Amino acid sequence: MKSLKWEKGILLLLDQTLLPNKIDYIYCQDYMTVAEAIRRLQVRGAPAIGAAAAFGIVLGAKAAAISAANVIEFRDKVLVVADTLQQTRPTAVNLFWAIKRMLGILDKFEDGSDIGKMIARLEQEAVIIAQEDEQVNRKISKNGALLFTKPVSILTHCNAGALATVALGTALGVIRETHSQGNVLRVYADETRPLLQGARLTAWELMQEKIPVTLITDNMAGWVMKKGLVQAVIVGADRIALNGDVANKIGTYSVAVLAKEHNIPFYVAAPLSTFDITINSGDSIPIEERDRSEVLQYAGINTAPEGVTVFNPAFDVTPSNLVTAIITEAGVFQAPYDVKIRQIFQLKG
Ligand code: MRU
């Protein structure tokens, strides 16, 4: 099941809010529909958001071309499109990474350029971003599987699978590859409150692939570890700072603390596009806070008293000292992360 498809100039987004009960694609013919789909988590997961936004830029650019008198006006209008898409979700850096890459394409054209050619090049770049994501995830999967030389059970949190990316997934990509090599006994999937990405998406994805999966509520993870039911944790990431601090779905930090207490390796699988080399530590990562209704209700039914105060951060930051290794397409990084990350991104210092 593809999270997104680009077909004849239309972006099809699998509506993940309906899973696992219904498989339905949203047909995005304008960038506002894409922005709304990202905001509402109809498309979600850092790499998938990035790819969707890239196609959103293409749709916005096509509309901008209709009313723009020249290249300067066209560029200004595309900047408005980019700004709208950037306002949708603040934490996953892939969104900003993909938009920056798309705007970089526009910058390469002179003011007297043919706008039609600029749009064609934007479309080509969005397609490349999507294709690269699949290739990168294949490498992450292979690199991660090397960590497992005998069969293990693995716990994961949220959904870092094919649904969260263009294909294969990051954490679930590693799990898929490790399973194909005969080294996955079972996956324990945290349900991932409040929006249940683990229950609705990860359990569904793994069942489709016939990978043994046991669903647990988030508060069961510690006991599952204590009972020796898992030998590793693998999660995805939304943004990784220079020092290796990792922002990921709320609850990831708790899992990392539990893993440390139980001497279980805690792995993060993420593409290089998830690294934010402009920030030194996780303290600078903006954490999205979402609507209180997500905590107060499920599927429109109240699960808490009306009027209660709610705190609803969508992500948390796991400090790098709790991270055993970061699995990327460029290899498996271990502490000290800043040294490795600076080397990979060719940064000084
Ligand atoms: O709020 P979501 O569902 O977009 O959060 C997704 C996650 O936290 C994923 O773990 C992360 O984006 C990595 S996806 C490969």
Side-chain angles (χ1 to χ4, degrees), residues 194 288-297 310-312:
E288 176 182 10
E289 285 192 32
R290 293 187 60 87
D291 196 85
R292 62 201 300 277
S293 61
E294 292 180 353
V295 176
L296 287 173
Q297 305 177 337
V310 169
F311 178 45
N312 185 20

Side-chain angles (χ1 to χ4, degrees), residues 41 44-47 89 158-160 164-165 170 197 237-238 248-249 315:
L41 271 63
R44 34 70 50 202
R89 298 195 74 190
C158 193
N159 173 269
T165 59
T170 55
Q197 287 93 331
D238 287 87
N248 191 47
K249 178 54 55 195
F315 300 94

Side-chain angles (χ1 to χ4, degrees), residues 131-347:
Q131 286 169 346
E132 277 179 8
D133 188 56
E134 178 162 356
Q135 291 155 8
V136 159
N137 292 341
R138 205 171 294 285
K139 285 189 191 152
I140 291 175
S141 307
K142 295 236 182 281
N143 289 342
L146 294 173
L147 295 165
F148 302 98
T149 50
K150 58 177 195 233
V152 289
S153 288
I154 299 170
L155 184 137
T156 190
H157 189 76
C158 193
N159 173 269
L163 292 168
T165 59
V166 176
L168 297 170
T170 55
L172 288 197
V174 174
I175 288 173
R176 272 193 174 88
E177 180 62 26
T178 309
H179 178 259
S180 76
Q181 297 179 11
N183 283 335
V184 173
L185 297 170
R186 178 159 293 278
V187 178
Y188 282 82
D190 283 351
E191 70 171 349
T192 316
R193 276 286 286 154
L195 295 181
L196 305 181
Q197 287 93 331
R200 295 187 303 103
L201 309 177
T202 295
W204 182 75
E205 225 186 288
L206 292 174
M207 284 178 77
Q208 303 250 318
E209 303 247 339
K210 307 220 174 339
I211 298 176
V213 54
T214 298
L215 177 64
I216 57 171
T217 62
D218 300 332
N219 50 354
M220 294 173 189
W223 189 239
V224 163
M225 291 181 188
K226 173 82 177 158
K227 283 175 69 72
L229 296 176
V230 294
Q231 291 74 48
V233 174
I234 311 180
V235 297
D238 287 87
R239 197 185 285 234
I240 302 175
L242 263 183
N243 70 345
D245 290 352
V246 174
N248 191 47
K249 178 54 55 195
I250 190 73
T252 302
Y253 169 59
S254 315
V255 174
V257 172
L258 288 168
K260 177 109 179 163
E261 170 69 17
H262 294 92
N263 280 317
I264 294 169
F266 179 90
Y267 298 117
V268 173
L272 294 180
S273 53
T274 299
F275 287 74
D276 184 349
I277 55 169
T278 68
I279 55 171
N280 288 323
S281 83
D283 294 343
S284 307
I285 299 178
I287 299 294
E288 176 182 10
E289 285 192 32
R290 293 187 60 87
D291 196 85
R292 62 201 300 277
S293 61
E294 292 180 353
V295 176
L296 287 173
Q297 305 177 337
Y298 192 70
I301 296 170
N302 284 350
T303 54
E306 226 169 275
V308 69
T309 302
V310 169
F311 178 45
N312 185 20
F315 300 94
D316 58 28
V317 176
T318 298
S320 60
N321 67 301
L322 298 179
V323 178
T324 310
I326 305 177
I327 306 160
T328 76
E329 67 270 36
V332 176
F333 304 171
Q334 274 161 347
Y337 293 107
D338 57 338
V339 174
K340 186 71 194 174
I341 296 169
R342 279 178 197 283
Q343 182 198 329
I344 291 285
F345 287 92
Q346 299 179 337
L347 302 175

